[in-house]
Amino acid sequence: MAAANSTPLELRPLGNTGLKLSSVGFGASPLGNVFGPISESDAIATVRQAFRLGINFFDTSPYYGGTSSEKVLGIALKALEVPRNEYIVSTKCGRYIDGFDFSAERVTRSIDESLERLQLDYVDILQCHDIEFGSLDQIVNETIPALLKLKEAGKIRFIGITGLPLEIFTYVLDRVPPRTVDVILSYCHYSVNDSTLEDLLPYLKSKGVGVISASPLAMGLLTEGGPPEWHPASPELKAACKAAAAYCKEKGRNISKLAMQYSLSNKDISTILVGMNSVQQVDENIAAATELATIGKDEKALSEIDDILNPVKNQTWPSGIQQS
């Protein structure tokens, strides 16, 4: 499957899975109307454009839009009318619209519900969703063993864990047998304002664990429009990102494109997952990746942004409010 643009989207290996993910991944939470209404026809068109331009990785969760993201993604993927092995699907378990439940019984039931909504026989990756809100010992001793049984049953191919605090990954990976957890999904820790995921990459590589990084725009901080009102960042961090965005605009640059290119430039990260809900957003993200591959990133502009953000560099927030 060649991309329609002249520079094909780069494919990167995901840990030891044997999967090769497009460097830009399709975050399907917006298909669940998480960021405003989207019609089914627009969702189908968005997914079709993403696939046409070389995106082969689609990520969702039963939590997004109270299961509607999975349903709409399932319809859109079916509408592609291509063989199942041409795209990679990841969904999650343990986080639902009515709360968290990482019990073996719930996650076992969860995958059957997800497969029905997605209209699939299996998912490539099933991830425990935002594990810091549960008991990490339960994840190690009950949830992951349940997922291994789902793997044996052929309902999932690989196992992942997701969350905001980086220490959750080492806690779990140090306590499960090698090659039990295949992938981690981290968000808001590899972008121009916070690159702390970088420190963890050698450890993850040593464990043979693939790395997905989500939210390169820091949940809206690194956009001209600014973050949503509920964003949990400190006033100082919001102000610094706003100043950086204004500076970029003044210089004829777009902070979102620069941020996307910064995140894409580390090839030890398999894919940069970004939410998309329009053909235009797909085109913009692919254009950022194509420009990076052909011209390289704008070091001068990124250095200037870095100077503005330096006082708040790597400042995170409590993981109480989020859309991961």
Side-chain angles (χ1 to χ4, degrees):
M1 176 205 70
N5 51 333
S6 55
T7 306
L9 200 54
E10 183 188 0
L11 296 177
R12 299 177 181 175
L14 181 68
N16 290 333
T17 63
L19 297 175
K20 287 192 173 177
L21 272 53
S22 50
S23 59
V24 177
F26 189 104
S29 69
L31 301 188
N33 302 314
V34 171
F35 300 102
I38 175 172
S39 68
E40 192 174 292
S41 60
D42 283 349
I44 290 169
T46 303
V47 168
R48 178 171 284 127
Q49 181 72 345
F51 184 77
R52 192 176 75 83
L53 294 181
I55 291 176
N56 72 350
F57 177 58
F58 298 85
D59 176 86
T60 183
S61 167
Y63 174 65
Y64 301 149
T67 71
S68 59
S69 170
E70 285 187 326
K71 286 176 198 154
V72 174
L73 180 62
I75 291 163
L77 289 172
K78 197 167 189 181
L80 291 175
E81 296 183 325
V82 298
R84 171 67 182 88
N85 64 359
E86 288 195 16
Y87 53 82
I88 295 161
V89 178
S90 168
T91 193
K92 307 186 183 77
C93 62
R95 183 169 200 180
Y96 308 98
I97 205 73
D98 56 354
F100 292 89
D101 187 346
F102 292 103
S103 67
E105 186 275 328
R106 183 68 187 99
V107 299
T108 302
R109 191 158 37 92
S110 187
I111 188 61
D112 290 332
E113 294 165 357
S114 290
L115 291 174
E116 189 175 334
R117 286 189 288 263
L118 287 161
Q119 302 181 60
L120 297 174
D121 296 325
Y122 69 92
V123 293
D124 298 277
I125 307 166
L126 182 62
Q127 305 176 89
C128 305
H129 195 177
D130 290 338
I131 60 172
E132 69 267 29
F133 290 96
S135 154
L136 296 183
D137 290 325
Q138 182 186 30
I139 300 294
V140 169
N141 299 317
E142 182 179 349
T143 318
I144 288 171
L147 267 51
L148 284 168
K149 287 181 181 171
L150 298 176
K151 196 173 180 178
E152 287 164 17
K155 293 179 181 182
I156 69 176
R157 292 178 67 198
F158 301 105
I159 293 167
I161 51 177
T162 87
L164 183 67
L166 293 173
E167 61 270 18
I168 62 175
F169 301 123
T170 48
Y171 187 94
V172 171
L173 291 169
D174 284 343
R175 287 164 176 78
V176 295
R179 302 193 72 150
T180 305
V181 173
D182 304 290
V183 58
I184 65 111
L185 188 159
S186 166
Y187 70 102
C188 291
H189 288 309
Y190 199 82
S191 50
V192 290
N193 62 299
D194 181 339
S195 58
T196 48
L197 176 61
E198 195 160 21
D199 297 335
L200 200 59
L201 294 177
Y203 167 88
L204 294 167
K205 208 171 199 175
S206 76
K207 294 277 188 183
V209 172
V211 182
I212 297 167
S213 181
S215 204
L217 309 184
M219 304 193 312
L221 283 175
L222 303 170
T223 60
E224 285 182 1
E229 270 184 41
W230 52 259
H231 199 292
S234 70
E236 295 80 14
L237 180 53
K238 285 180 181 173
C241 290
K242 188 177 181 179
Y247 177 83
C248 289
K249 194 172 185 181
E250 190 187 308
K251 296 288 181 184
R253 302 277 195 278
N254 182 287
I255 193 166
S256 297
K257 184 170 87 169
L258 289 165
M260 185 71 184
Q261 290 177 335
Y262 173 89
S263 296
L264 281 167
S265 62
N266 190 324
K267 298 196 179 193
D268 286 332
I269 295 170
S270 299
T271 189
I272 299 299
L273 195 57
V274 60
M276 304 185 224
N277 66 359
S278 68
V279 167
Q280 183 189 341
Q281 285 181 359
V282 171
D283 289 344
E284 286 170 0
N285 288 317
I286 296 296
T290 304
E291 187 183 290
L292 178 67
T294 51
I295 301 166
K297 62 181 189 282
D298 188 335
E299 299 285 4
K300 185 172 183 290
L302 284 167
S303 172
E304 288 159 354
I305 294 170
D306 199 52
D307 289 342
I308 295 168
L309 295 176
N310 194 50
V312 291
K313 187 81 172 170
N314 297 334
Q315 186 185 109
T316 187
W317 48 80
S319 63
I321 314 173
Q322 71 221 302
Q323 295 287 326
S324 78

